[in-house]
Amino acid sequence: MNLKRLPFPILFFTLIFSSCAPRPTDCMRADVFCVGLVTASGSIDEGINQQAWLGLQDAKAEGLVDRIDYIETVDSRDREANIQVFINDGYDVIITIGSSIADETISAAQKNPKIKFIGVEQTQEKALPNLTGLVFHEERSGFLAGALAASITQTNHVTALCEAKFIDSMRRYCDGFKAGAQYINSNVNADVVYRTGSNQYLFNDRDWGSQAALKAVYDGADAVFAAGGNTADAALETAAGQGAYVIGSETDEYESLTDIRSKLVSSAVNDVRVGVRDLMRLAHTDSLPNGNYFGQIELASFHDLDGQIPPSVKDQLNQLTQGLANNPIMDNVPYQKP
């Protein structure tokens, strides 16, 4: 069910709930397992919001969950109230999406110790008994993206464009990218550029993304990686429009950035869908872990460009993926650990 947070009293949501079957009061029953999802921003049909929702749908199809619902946050000031909707209606697990809703998630978990919370892409610095952070080794994702970029560049110049440096996941992506590029070719020029400016435009600074991409291509980069929501999407679109090959992040951008498929080599994917489904399996048996739970990372398919990637590059990337899973490759690489 789609519950979009609007500036009306919480009673409004109760009325919406009551028109559905089963009614939300069923979630108060011990034999009805309910999970609610709250986005930090954006549509449920985009990015990691969509992947988390698909993971919940998978869990419901497996019979792990009786009822699933979501609320799309329209105004960031409503995040706390949106979480409270599911608390009031007796949901067993509440999932929040994105690092920008982490503070509200921690606060809700502290105030409601009997409810389980999952924060997608929210690193847990201090473990709470009822809060799980579904997190990823972005440094490994970035490493694979950098290795791919260094393997396909013709100018020996590659660039990573990332959201604000104070966001740990962005720093891990970009540090990993540079390390991966230089692992493949120690002489490659691997630039890393972080967005600066107002936090009001975090993950949604399309102007900066576009301008940064233009500069990167103008400076000679022919392979560009970008991480950071709409900021990154704008960078990828602009770089591709200027003839550079591009590499996406978090989700498989082939599904969302359809206009640049001819230049989109791959994406460094955090498998949120599988991570959410796996956590629901644990929640179903009352064995949901607290603290940080690491999900899977991988490079997405090469899609339209598959025939242009040499078999030797594919083999090397597969070997690197296996090496990263065992972690020895990263032992001597500087990056911000989660």
Side-chain angles (χ1 to χ4, degrees):
M1 177 170 53
N2 177 357
L3 299 176
K4 185 170 291 188
R5 177 65 182 171
L6 298 172
F8 297 113
I10 288 177
L11 175 61
F12 178 72
F13 295 99
T14 304
L15 295 175
I16 291 179
F17 275 128
S18 66
S19 67
C20 306
R23 292 182 300 172
T25 49
D26 289 342
C27 291
M28 298 288 187
R29 291 167 38 186
D31 61 337
V32 178
F33 190 70
C34 300
V35 181
L37 182 152
V38 179
T39 69
S41 62
S43 167
I44 199 67
D45 297 321
E46 299 174 349
I48 61 173
N49 293 339
Q50 181 184 52
Q51 294 305 306
W53 181 242
L54 288 172
L56 273 186
Q57 290 177 311
D58 293 341
K60 191 172 188 297
E62 282 190 32
L64 304 172
V65 183
D66 297 311
R67 181 187 177 99
I68 59 175
D69 297 295
Y70 66 83
I71 299 175
E72 295 173 323
T73 298
V74 176
D75 189 324
S76 61
R77 293 170 295 183
D78 290 333
R79 290 169 179 162
E80 182 179 356
N82 291 346
I83 294 171
Q84 192 64 41
V85 171
F86 290 127
I87 293 172
N88 293 345
D89 285 313
Y91 280 64
D92 301 277
V93 178
I94 298 173
I95 301 175
T96 63
I97 311 298
S99 59
S100 59
I101 198 174
D103 290 344
E104 292 87 350
T105 306
I106 292 171
S107 176
Q110 291 172 329
K111 296 174 183 175
N112 300 275
K114 294 184 178 180
I115 298 175
K116 300 292 187 181
F117 291 83
I118 296 173
V120 177
E121 296 197 348
Q122 297 172 29
T123 302
Q124 304 303 305
E125 302 294 343
K126 182 179 180 181
L128 296 176
N130 61 328
L131 175 56
T132 305
L134 174 56
V135 295
F136 300 87
H137 286 289
E138 287 91 356
E139 71 280 0
R140 299 182 186 179
S141 298
F143 190 97
L144 290 174
L148 173 58
S151 298
I152 64 173
T153 180
Q154 298 296 309
T155 64
N156 207 38
H157 188 166
V158 300
T159 297
L161 304 174
C162 287
E163 250 299 347
K165 191 173 184 178
F166 69 83
I167 300 173
D168 287 346
S169 61
M170 295 297 105
R171 200 158 58 245
R172 291 195 293 269
Y173 266 130
C174 276
D175 285 351
F177 176 89
K178 186 166 187 174
Q182 294 182 337
Y183 181 86
I184 295 296
N185 179 2
S186 61
N187 295 317
V188 72
N189 182 0
D191 290 334
V192 171
V193 182
Y194 293 96
R195 188 187 76 87
T196 57
S198 172
N199 290 346
Q200 177 183 354
Y201 301 108
L202 279 176
F203 299 99
N204 197 33
D205 195 338
R206 294 187 61 85
D207 288 342
W208 182 89
S210 182
Q211 292 300 315
L214 281 173
K215 186 177 187 307
V217 176
Y218 179 81
D219 288 344
D222 64 346
V224 175
F225 168 74
N230 288 330
T231 304
D233 288 349
L236 296 173
E237 290 166 348
T238 299
Q242 294 296 309
Y245 286 106
V246 296
I247 303 168
S249 61
E250 292 193 317
T251 62
D252 187 351
E253 300 280 16
Y254 188 85
E255 302 301 325
S256 55
L257 302 181
T258 56
D259 290 341
I260 63 169
R261 285 178 172 177
S262 64
K263 289 294 183 179
L264 182 65
V265 185
S266 183
S267 300
V269 174
N270 294 339
D271 203 334
V272 170
R273 180 174 183 171
V274 168
V276 168
R277 184 204 64 196
D278 289 348
L279 286 175
M280 288 301 97
R281 288 174 176 171
L282 293 170
H284 183 72
T285 59
D286 197 29
S287 54
L288 189 67
N290 68 329
N292 292 315
Y293 178 92
F294 285 93
Q296 301 175 20
I297 61 99
E298 62 182 357
L299 279 179
S301 167
F302 300 120
H303 296 295
D304 296 353
L305 299 177
D306 185 77
Q308 298 183 38
I309 307 300
S312 59
V313 171
K314 294 178 181 178
D315 290 343
Q316 186 174 36
L317 290 171
N318 287 333
Q319 292 172 8
L320 288 177
T321 300
Q322 294 300 315
L324 289 170
N326 299 320
N327 210 30
I329 293 175
M330 299 298 293
D331 283 352
N332 297 316
V333 174
Y335 62 90
Q336 179 65 35
K337 295 183 180 180

